[in-house]
Amino acid sequence: MISRVYLKDCLSFEEVDLEFKKGLNIFTGPSGAGKSILMQAILSLFALADVKANLGEVLLNNSKIDDETYDLSSDDDIIIKSIKKDKVRYFLNNQSVSKKNLSDFSFKLIKHLNLKDTSEFDSLKLLDFLDRLTIQKNSDFKTIKDEFNISYKEFQETKKELQKILDDESKLEDLKEFAKFEIDKIEQINPTIDEYEELNLIKKRLAKKEKIEIAIKKASGIMEFNHSVTGALELMEVDSSFFDETMNELNNIFEKFSDSLHELDDINIENVLDRIEKLSALQKRFGSIEECLKYKEQKKLELESYENIFFQKEKLEKRFENLNKQLYILAKQISDFRKESSIILEEKINEYLKFLYLSDAKIILNEKELDSTGVDEVIFELNGVSLDTISSGEYNRLRLALLTSMSEFDIVDNGILFLDEIDANLSGKESDAISKVLNKLSDSYQIFAISHQPQLTSSANQHFLVDKIDGKSFVKELNNQERMTEIARMISGEKVTLEALEFAKNLLK
């Protein structure tokens, strides 16, 4: 629950520092005093409205939220701050947090009902609640729902695979031709690993072949002086074996290199250059010859899969059909359970509607196309007409009956509910009924509401007056005597009468 709110420099409010308790918290005051500004400012601390205050802080305790992202456990206090300078910055327990993430976090805790909000009657939300209610009543439902969810996931995967095959089938010939073309293109060159490097080595040798031959021819002249050198060494009585060995090694090198050069005579340099160019193009496209050969094998596998596509299609179509039948059976079972729960919810809503002076509501489960929720769509009617045609007062009371009924079944002990002028334009008896329902709802929610009617105001656990003097708004919690005076003002206007004071006193009793 919210235990404290602090705001500074918030439009007409210079400073607001309020402490709250559990239950029903009501704000009253003259028109234009700033009640809606204050409500929106509190919501802005949860990133659920635009920030107007330069500084804002809200303290929450007993939130029962476990959140690893923000290192929160269920018994931790939570402090949310907003600072507005050039831009708005948010902090959650001193961790900087984006508006989007704070908004997502707040939805776990905060429920804001206003005239523009129709989300409470959203079919998906209602189906989710009916499922939770059904699980409470019947343990077999969870097993069926889990089986449906697993089957639906497999159904979607099968549908995706089948659609890909159908898409491929329409362009199958093009795909086959492309795969064949790619394979043939590589196989015509027929590259091998390390071939490119070897050909570049041959290219270098061919480029130097003539120069090497001339150099060897010139250098070979040294061999004519072998005997002269050997004779000189013998005359000097020096062992000539080292010279003989060196000259023999040199001669072997020259002969071996000359033989290798003769082998190049049969090589066509144009063919080598052409081959290098083709291999270079493959390397440029694929990064390496290894990757090129991997690509070729991949295309071969694709070609094989295209050849088998008709067999795969038949197999997937059969699995798709079986899953579809299985899902419809499970969906019908789920629907039967939901109808039983919808009757229970409908009866509870109508209990409150009778109390709120409205005709009976009807919950209808229409069959729709199968999706992840099953085949059900929830439709609400009030007095036999759709919700689009009812008045805002009827809509507010129906929504309140729905919310209160749901809170009874789906136990809520940490929710915070903001209501926008829930009793506006209502008669005294309607406002009195709403106050009783909200008191019941306040067992599950901490409620913040702006009220224009004395009936709801008199039932508040805390009553705050919002007023404005010399253009400056302020808010304060009222004691019993101040509450009686404010309620009397709501009854009789600015000139409070004795009759209004007496009526306010009786209401507070």
Side-chain angles (χ1 to χ4, degrees):
M1 70 167 214
I2 297 174
S3 59
R4 179 176 180 259
V5 166
Y6 178 79
L7 301 165
K8 188 171 179 61
D9 298 328
C10 180
L11 298 179
S12 57
F13 291 92
E14 288 185 346
E15 189 172 51
V16 173
D17 194 351
L18 300 173
E19 292 186 358
F20 298 106
K21 299 172 184 175
K22 290 181 179 180
L24 181 59
N25 298 276
I26 295 294
F27 298 95
T28 66
S31 296
K35 298 184 294 295
S36 294
I37 290 173
L38 180 61
M39 184 79 83
Q40 290 297 308
I42 297 173
L43 285 168
S44 74
L45 292 169
F46 299 96
L48 300 176
D50 292 334
V51 172
K52 303 299 182 185
N54 289 338
L55 178 65
E57 182 175 305
V58 59
L59 173 64
L60 299 145
N61 52 36
N62 299 319
S63 64
K64 296 182 173 59
I65 290 179
D66 288 298
D67 194 311
E68 292 183 4
T69 305
Y70 303 106
D71 194 26
L72 295 175
S73 56
S74 58
D75 56 348
D76 287 342
D77 288 346
I78 299 172
I79 299 174
I80 300 173
K81 293 181 182 179
S82 69
I83 300 173
K84 183 181 179 184
K85 289 183 179 178
D86 298 331
K87 62 178 183 178
V88 178
R89 298 179 65 198
Y90 297 95
F91 299 88
L92 197 160
N93 282 7
N94 294 321
Q95 295 183 56
S96 180
V97 58
S98 71
K99 182 177 181 179
K100 171 69 168 59
N101 289 341
L102 178 56
S103 175
D104 291 343
F105 174 84
S106 299
F107 276 122
K108 301 174 186 175
L109 189 62
I110 306 296
K111 190 181 291 291
H112 177 215
L113 300 187
N114 55 60
L115 293 178
K116 297 178 182 177
D117 182 18
T118 60
S119 63
E120 295 306 317
F121 296 97
D122 179 74
S123 180
L124 291 178
K125 278 192 174 182
L126 290 168
L127 286 174
D128 180 62
F129 174 75
L130 287 175
D131 289 350
R132 295 202 307 271
L133 178 58
T134 307
I135 288 171
Q136 287 182 15
K137 305 292 181 185
N138 195 317
S139 58
D140 292 337
F141 178 77
K142 187 177 186 305
T143 304
I144 295 170
K145 190 79 189 319
D146 288 343
E147 186 181 349
F148 176 86
N149 291 338
I150 292 168
S151 297
Y152 189 79
K153 184 179 179 182
E154 186 182 352
F155 174 78
Q156 286 294 90
E157 290 170 353
T158 304
K159 185 179 180 181
K160 188 176 178 181
E161 288 180 47
L162 185 56
Q163 188 58 52
K164 184 179 184 304
I165 283 181
L166 292 172
D167 292 342
D168 288 348
E169 193 175 34
S170 63
K171 51 186 178 181
L172 185 60
E173 289 305 317
D174 290 340
L175 290 169
K176 286 170 68 175
E177 286 303 316
F178 179 72
K180 286 178 181 177
F181 172 78
E182 291 286 89
I183 294 167
D184 291 344
K185 192 174 178 181
I186 295 172
E187 287 188 341
Q188 282 175 12
I189 298 174
N190 195 24
T192 58
I193 296 172
D194 297 332
E195 181 186 4
Y196 180 75
E197 290 75 12
E198 291 171 0
L199 287 174
N200 269 306
L201 187 61
I202 291 172
K203 177 185 171 184
K204 288 180 183 179
R205 292 175 65 191
L206 282 170
K208 296 194 293 182
K209 178 177 180 292
E210 188 175 344
K211 289 182 180 180
I212 293 172
E213 286 177 336
I214 293 170
I216 289 176
K217 187 174 181 181
K218 285 182 179 180
S220 295
I222 196 174
M223 302 301 177
E224 297 177 4
F225 300 100
N226 278 4
H227 295 298
S228 300
V229 174
T230 301
L233 289 172
E234 286 177 355
L235 287 173
M236 291 184 287
E237 297 182 354
V238 175
D239 185 3
S240 63
S241 60
F242 76 93
F243 177 71
D244 294 336
E245 289 174 4
T246 301
M247 294 305 290
N248 285 336
E249 185 177 352
L250 180 62
N251 189 53
N252 287 336
I253 291 171
F254 284 171
E255 286 181 356
K256 187 175 180 181
F257 218 91
S258 294
D259 290 342
S260 70
L261 291 177
H262 288 314
E263 292 174 3
L264 296 176
D265 291 340
D266 298 329
I267 295 176
N268 187 319
I269 184 64
E270 295 299 328
N271 291 341
V272 171
L273 293 175
D274 180 62
R275 184 74 178 166
I276 288 174
E277 184 179 353
K278 289 178 179 178
L279 293 172
S280 178
L282 290 178
Q283 289 206 135
K284 188 174 181 180
R285 180 182 173 189
F286 298 102
S288 67
I289 298 301
E290 290 92 331
E291 291 301 317
C292 171
L293 295 173
K294 283 181 185 177
Y295 178 78
K296 183 184 77 170
E297 293 306 313
Q298 178 188 331
K299 286 297 168 188
K300 283 185 175 180
L301 289 173
E302 284 182 18
L303 187 60
E304 186 179 340
S305 72
Y306 297 144
E307 299 294 345
N308 295 330
I309 196 168
F310 297 109
F311 171 74
Q312 293 173 9
K313 178 187 171 185
E314 186 180 347
K315 184 178 176 182
L316 282 171
E317 283 176 334
K318 189 172 182 180
R319 185 167 70 176
F320 181 83
E321 185 180 350
N322 289 338
L323 283 169
N324 197 33
K325 288 178 181 177
Q326 181 184 350
L327 283 170
Y328 264 103
I329 292 170
L330 292 169
K332 288 292 185 182
Q333 292 175 351
I334 290 170
S335 186
D336 290 339
F337 278 110
R338 285 171 174 167
K339 284 172 183 173
E340 292 177 11
S341 294
S342 71
I343 292 170
I344 296 171
L345 178 60
E346 184 183 288
E347 288 174 352
K348 180 57 67 175
I349 290 170
N350 283 318
E351 282 181 28
Y352 284 107
L353 287 181
K354 186 176 179 181
F355 192 65
L356 291 166
Y357 305 103
L358 280 179
S359 303
D360 282 356
K362 187 72 177 172
I363 300 176
I364 303 166
L365 264 64
N366 286 339
E367 186 170 332
K368 63 173 174 56
E369 187 177 342
L370 179 74
D371 62 17
S372 60
T373 63
V375 293
D376 297 314
E377 181 181 22
V378 183
I379 304 293
F380 254 87
E381 287 183 357
L382 183 65
N383 197 23
V385 298
S386 73
L387 301 191
D388 296 333
T389 61
I390 65 176
S391 69
S392 60
E394 289 173 323
Y395 187 85
N396 264 347
R397 282 178 281 162
L398 175 59
R399 183 168 54 179
L400 188 58
L402 170 64
L403 190 63
T404 310
S405 301
M406 291 171 70
S407 73
E408 279 198 36
F409 293 120
D410 196 24
I411 301 302
V412 177
D413 57 5
N414 68 332
I416 301 169
L417 179 63
F418 287 84
L419 302 171
D420 283 356
E421 305 187 16
I422 191 70
D423 59 358
N425 304 317
L426 296 182
S427 67
K429 69 175 185 178
E430 291 170 339
S431 181
D432 185 54
I434 278 187
S435 70
K436 290 180 172 63
V437 174
L438 283 178
N439 267 299
K440 173 66 177 174
L441 190 57
S442 67
D443 292 337
S444 299
Y445 287 91
Q446 184 187 31
I447 301 174
F448 294 86
I450 296 170
S451 178
H452 296 278
Q453 300 283 0
Q455 290 82 0
L456 177 57
T457 303
S458 63
S459 64
N461 298 101
Q462 284 181 285
H463 180 179
F464 297 89
L465 172 67
V466 181
D467 208 346
K468 184 183 283 187
I469 299 176
D470 297 330
K472 299 293 183 184
S473 297
F474 65 91
V475 56
K476 69 170 186 174
E477 184 178 3
L478 303 182
N479 60 33
N480 285 338
Q481 184 60 42
E482 290 169 330
R483 288 186 72 188
M484 186 170 66
T485 303
E486 170 61 8
I487 292 170
R489 182 199 65 78
M490 296 173 74
I491 296 167
S492 63
E494 293 303 320
K495 190 175 286 187
V496 176
T497 65
L498 290 174
E499 292 81 1
L501 281 169
E502 188 63 27
F503 187 69
K505 185 178 179 180
N506 290 331
L507 279 176
L508 286 169
K509 285 181 180 179

